[in-house]
Amino acid sequence: TRRVQVSRSADLVTWSVPDEALPTRPAWASQSNNFWAPDVALREGRYVMYFSAQVDADKRPSPGDGFCVGMATSATPLGPFVDVGRPVVCGPGFTAIDPQGFDDPQTGKRYLYWGSDRAPLRVQELAADRATFAPGSAPVDLVPARPGRVYEDLVEAAWVTYRAPWYYLYYSGDNCCGDVNRVRYAVMVARSASPTGPFAQRADPN
């Protein structure tokens, strides 16, 4: 079973056979095959990958934790990526999944975005090592899940870009899987003058 698949292509049409980018399971997810949502970027001469993984029952930071965001590094984008030895953030259920690392071009500060499972999308400033949070920082809620609203009953997969003067937060919601008669999923966007919000969602035309 592959955890994080990686392929290469010279033309974006023909691809190599997938290989394993994370050949060794993290110590905190040594029993899991639930890995997904890798985010890879070149940062200061090394490739940094954030990913989601189910935490081992005996290694949960809190009893209710289910999934965590991990961080691994590599000298090449193909790997092998090596986990830093501990999760960056964990949460109950699958609230701590779908990570994105973001370097603010305006300030140089580093941020981690994550969220799902009917919890708000969140962001927190990272320390220089990118594997821990900046001292004195705290998670900031950005976009809430809004129960009963189509496409917003669950929000996840935060992705932030900057195009002056706005930071754009793209995200998905709300029912991607399961009963095909209930599947409804869409990509939405909100914008802010700051990477930590507040993010304004488009007004509901109804």
Side-chain angles (χ1 to χ4, degrees):
T1 300
R2 291 190 175 95
R3 287 165 287 284
V4 179
Q5 297 184 60
V6 57
S7 296
R8 67 168 72 201
S9 174
D11 57 11
L12 301 182
V13 176
T14 303
W15 293 84
S16 65
V17 176
D19 202 356
E20 175 57 69
L22 188 67
T24 302
R25 286 183 177 88
W28 52 271
S30 63
Q31 303 168 38
S32 179
N33 286 319
N34 287 324
F35 292 81
W36 71 82
D39 165 45
V40 178
L42 179 62
R43 303 298 188 197
E44 291 136 10
R46 62 176 178 165
Y47 290 87
V48 174
M49 176 172 71
Y50 295 102
F51 59 93
S52 309
Q54 187 171 22
V55 63
D56 292 345
D58 62 347
K59 298 182 178 69
R60 296 172 181 167
S62 297
D65 287 345
F67 284 80
C68 301
V69 171
M71 185 261 217
T73 63
S74 173
T76 78
L78 296 173
F81 283 85
V82 178
D83 178 72
V84 296
R86 61 189 180 282
V88 182
V89 63
C90 297
F94 55 96
T95 58
I97 67 166
D98 293 354
Q100 184 212 2
F102 177 73
D103 283 18
D104 182 7
Q106 294 289 94
T107 65
K109 291 183 178 181
R110 308 159 182 86
Y111 294 96
L112 182 71
Y113 295 83
W114 74 93
S116 186
D117 200 9
R118 294 177 173 80
L121 298 179
R122 289 183 159 183
V123 64
Q124 188 169 348
E125 185 183 350
L126 290 163
D129 64 4
R130 301 180 183 276
T132 57
F133 291 117
S137 69
V140 177
D141 292 351
L142 298 177
V143 172
R146 298 196 280 184
R149 289 180 63 93
V150 175
Y151 304 126
E152 295 182 88
D153 191 58
L154 175 152
V155 290
E156 60 187 11
W159 193 264
V160 173
T161 62
Y162 175 72
R163 185 168 182 176
W166 299 106
Y167 294 85
Y168 292 91
L169 168 63
Y170 297 89
Y171 60 99
S172 300
D174 62 277
N175 186 34
C176 70
C177 316
D179 182 353
V180 295
N181 296 312
R182 294 188 62 251
V183 169
R184 58 186 188 211
Y185 207 57
V187 176
M188 293 157 284
V189 65
R191 72 179 189 180
S192 173
S194 164
T196 58
F199 279 88
Q201 298 164 279
R202 182 176 180 180
D204 188 337
N206 299 317

